[in-house]
Amino acid sequence: MSTENTPIDEAADPMGLQQPLGKTERTKLALMLAAERLFGDLGIDAVGLRAVSEAAGQKNNNAVQYHFGDKMNLLTSIFEFREGLFQPLRQQMLEQAEAQGRLGDLRGLLRVCFEPNFRLYRDQQGISYLKLHVAYLATHRPRGVRHPVDYDSPNTVIFRRAIALLGQRLAFLGERRFWLRLESAGAMFLSALIQHSARTEERNLPADELFEDVIEMMAAALSAPPGHHSGTD
Amino acid sequence: MSTENTPIDEAADPMGLQQPLGKTERTKLALMLAAERLFGDLGIDAVGLRAVSEAAGQKNNNAVQYHFGDKMNLLTSIFEFREGLFQPLRQQMLEQAEAQGRLGDLRGLLRVCFEPNFRLYRDQQGISYLKLHVAYLATHRPRGVRHPVDYDSPNTVIFRRAIALLGQRLAFLGERRFWLRLESAGAMFLSALIQHSARTEERNLPADELFEDVIEMMAAALSAPPGHHSGTD
DNA sequence: CGCAAATTAAAACGGTTGACTTAAATAATC
DNA sequence: GATTATTTAAGTCAACCGTTTTAATTTGCG
């Protein structure tokens, strides 16, 4: 009887999903979206798998384990899913930059890395994914991995290529400073957008203006002259 | 009352605590230090109060509730404690800057805000407190408060004064951009130091050099020209 | 249709959580 | 030394955790 009505209202056409999804795919997507939101808002450890299933419209308390195995795999599947969605835009931006001979442009490369995240926030109020990044980095990142660059997934190959170009552009920093500054700049990006999303109240910076400002901040921070200790404090 | 002098415990004086502590004060301190480390390393929600008591040397599973009431009060007590310890250094730095007429120096004001945190990390490997900040901001910050500035505690009065001076120095940004940039720069600072602490392996940037670099990054990011949307994307 | 596979529902598992209660032990005061 | 207050220890509680297991239901396909 209830073959038609699906509790998944968000999963109809949330993003650039080309092909229509089968039922199990829609269930998995609903679980990922619910988990993304709950994990991002409340923290990964503060949200149980039952709450995820329930928020995804499943009366089953077992849906996550059935579809994803365990909690950590659900988490990584969310990252895989989002970065996979980001990749076409990144590729397009990178190709356009290459066609215009602007592969060495600092701000352009930063946009390749961060604009997909920004557009997700701006176009769909999708701040949960960015908050999930912060929660993950704060408490669930495995030691010694750069997130999400170190996961050699096909969904991040363009991302990694852009970062490699950034490394060339900022070669004067040296390896250690480059990686340290890049991740720190990423933390700054996440912090700025999350703050912006938390202050919907009164007049706020327009989202596009915020993004331009953050790009300027990141570019300035990354290309700042390397600081060296002067001995006398 | 506490006229008798009790021998200072081995773990009771890692920092500049002037007066000797009574027994209950030592117990509370041990609980806060243990919680700081565990919360910072594993996340606030991932650590139970029994584990905190145990790590503090108490076989009691009730110590936190007895001394702090509940988990959240333990958390805020840690921030109160650390910021209180930071305050003398901040006051000294601010007075010195005032005596030298450098109250408008951007980097100097940033040092007033962040150097106590850096020294805690450099001199005592105290990265846990900084990681605790990140965990707290990611998952436990109440909505609409600037951490830790909005808590009008006497332990943060100098901190807030330095930030007010920073606001004057960066008045050209306007209120919204200033606060957004300041917290974002703080997130960058935390990210940089935590990364540095996670890479103890072989050659790493010397801590002082890292700090100088982060100060340069923050100064550059804060004083970057405000970005404005150009309309055509 | 019939039947097998896939999915959902529901119950149960051992374990841990924060919080509370009761006793024992220690410290402080008279 | 006796007595009172403070601190520690230990037990208990309902609720929730991630996971596993079993049954019911739905689905895909000949």
Side-chain angles (χ1 to χ4, degrees):
Chain A
M1 49 197 329
S2 62
T3 68
E4 177 48 40
N5 183 14
T6 85
I8 312 164
D9 23 300
E10 251 179 322
D13 67 334
M15 56 278 318
L17 293 174
Q18 316 292 41
Q19 63 247 7
L21 302 175
K23 179 173 184 181
T24 73
E25 295 301 319
R26 270 188 293 130
T27 302
K28 292 186 67 170
L29 179 59
L31 287 168
M32 286 193 290
L33 293 177
E36 178 185 80
R37 174 171 299 269
L38 290 172
F39 288 166
D41 284 346
L42 304 173
I44 299 164
D45 290 319
V47 176
L49 265 24
R50 288 170 176 83
V52 172
S53 295
E54 198 167 332
Q58 302 273 327
K59 298 174 182 177
N60 191 352
N61 65 16
N62 196 22
V64 171
Q65 283 90 346
Y66 178 78
H67 286 284
F68 295 94
D70 59 12
K71 193 177 193 174
M72 192 53 61
N73 194 268
L74 167 62
L75 197 52
T76 57
S77 296
I78 296 171
F79 290 121
E80 279 287 315
F81 166 68
R82 284 290 180 204
E83 298 305 317
L85 287 182
F86 288 170
Q87 186 134 262
L89 175 57
R90 288 201 171 109
Q91 180 153 23
Q92 170 194 335
M93 295 177 72
L94 208 49
E95 285 173 352
Q96 181 176 350
E98 186 174 17
Q100 299 177 355
R102 310 180 78 227
L103 272 185
D105 182 46
L106 176 59
R107 287 164 183 78
L109 291 173
L110 287 175
R111 286 177 205 275
V112 173
C113 293
F114 294 100
E115 186 154 333
N117 292 281
F118 165 68
R119 288 197 190 182
L120 173 63
Y121 165 58
R122 181 194 61 184
D123 299 337
Q124 304 168 29
Q125 307 290 9
I127 200 62
S128 295
Y129 179 60
L130 301 184
K131 294 170 80 174
L132 178 59
H133 270 282
V134 175
Y136 175 79
L137 291 173
T139 57
H140 281 73
R141 161 153 65 170
R143 288 190 67 88
V145 301
R146 306 187 205 276
H147 169 77
V149 192
D150 267 357
Y151 313 118
D152 53 348
S153 156
N155 289 353
T156 60
V157 46
I158 308 290
F159 190 23
R160 277 177 277 141
R161 185 178 307 165
I163 288 181
L165 291 168
L166 263 177
Q168 297 178 17
R169 170 64 175 77
L170 299 170
F172 71 96
L173 288 174
E175 278 263 336
R176 298 172 297 177
R177 263 199 178 86
F178 167 70
W179 285 107
L180 194 114
R181 286 193 178 197
L182 180 61
E183 181 164 331
S184 303
M188 183 164 65
F189 169 83
L190 291 173
S191 172
L193 264 68
I194 291 170
Q195 278 182 82
H196 187 266
S197 77
R199 308 199 173 271
T200 56
E201 332 131 354
E202 74 282 30
R203 58 270 176 80
N204 206 348
L205 279 177
D208 286 309
E209 201 171 331
L210 165 84
F211 182 62
E212 298 304 318
D213 208 49
V214 176
I215 290 286
E216 287 304 314
M217 288 179 71
M218 287 195 289
L222 287 171
S223 53
H228 53 284
H229 189 42
S230 60
T232 69
D233 193 10
Chain B
M1 318 311 174
S2 62
T3 59
E4 94 292 12
N5 46 0
T6 60
I8 298 183
D9 194 57
E10 82 293 346
D13 181 20
M15 57 287 297
L17 294 174
Q18 315 292 43
Q19 59 229 3
L21 302 175
K23 180 173 183 181
T24 71
E25 294 301 319
R26 271 188 291 132
T27 301
K28 291 185 68 171
L29 178 58
L31 287 168
M32 285 193 290
L33 293 178
E36 178 185 81
R37 174 170 299 269
L38 289 172
F39 288 166
D41 284 347
L42 304 173
I44 298 165
D45 290 319
V47 176
L49 265 23
R50 289 170 176 83
V52 173
S53 295
E54 198 167 332
Q58 302 272 329
K59 297 174 182 175
N60 192 353
N61 64 14
N62 195 28
V64 170
Q65 283 93 342
Y66 178 79
H67 286 283
F68 294 95
D70 58 13
K71 194 177 192 175
M72 191 52 62
N73 193 267
L74 167 63
L75 198 52
T76 57
S77 297
I78 295 171
F79 290 123
E80 279 286 315
F81 166 69
R82 284 291 180 203
E83 297 304 318
L85 287 182
F86 288 170
Q87 186 134 261
L89 175 58
R90 288 199 171 112
Q91 182 153 23
Q92 170 195 333
M93 294 178 72
L94 209 49
E95 285 173 351
Q96 181 176 349
E98 187 175 17
Q100 299 177 354
R102 310 181 77 225
L103 272 185
D105 181 47
L106 176 60
R107 287 164 182 78
L109 290 173
L110 288 174
R111 285 177 205 275
V112 173
C113 293
F114 294 99
E115 185 154 333
N117 291 282
F118 165 68
R119 288 199 191 182
L120 173 63
Y121 164 58
R122 182 195 60 185
D123 298 339
Q124 304 167 32
Q125 308 290 8
I127 200 64
S128 295
Y129 179 60
L130 301 185
K131 294 170 80 172
L132 178 59
H133 270 283
V134 175
Y136 176 80
L137 291 173
T139 57
H140 281 72
R141 159 152 67 169
R143 287 191 67 89
V145 302
R146 307 187 205 277
H147 170 77
V149 192
D150 268 358
Y151 313 120
D152 53 349
S153 154
N155 289 353
T156 60
V157 46
I158 308 290
F159 190 25
R160 277 178 278 142
R161 185 178 307 164
I163 288 182
L165 292 169
L166 263 178
Q168 295 178 19
R169 171 64 173 78
L170 300 170
F172 71 95
L173 288 173
E175 278 263 336
R176 298 171 298 179
R177 264 201 178 86
F178 168 69
W179 285 107
L180 194 113
R181 285 194 180 197
L182 180 61
E183 181 162 332
S184 302
M188 184 165 63
F189 170 82
L190 292 173
S191 171
L193 263 67
I194 291 171
Q195 277 182 82
H196 186 265
S197 76
R199 308 200 175 270
T200 57
E201 333 136 352
E202 68 282 32
R203 59 267 172 86
N204 204 347
L205 279 178
D208 287 308
E209 202 170 332
L210 165 84
F211 183 62
E212 298 303 318
D213 208 49
V214 176
I215 290 287
E216 287 304 313
M217 288 178 71
M218 287 195 289
L222 287 172
S223 52
H228 53 283
H229 189 42
S230 60
T232 68
D233 192 9

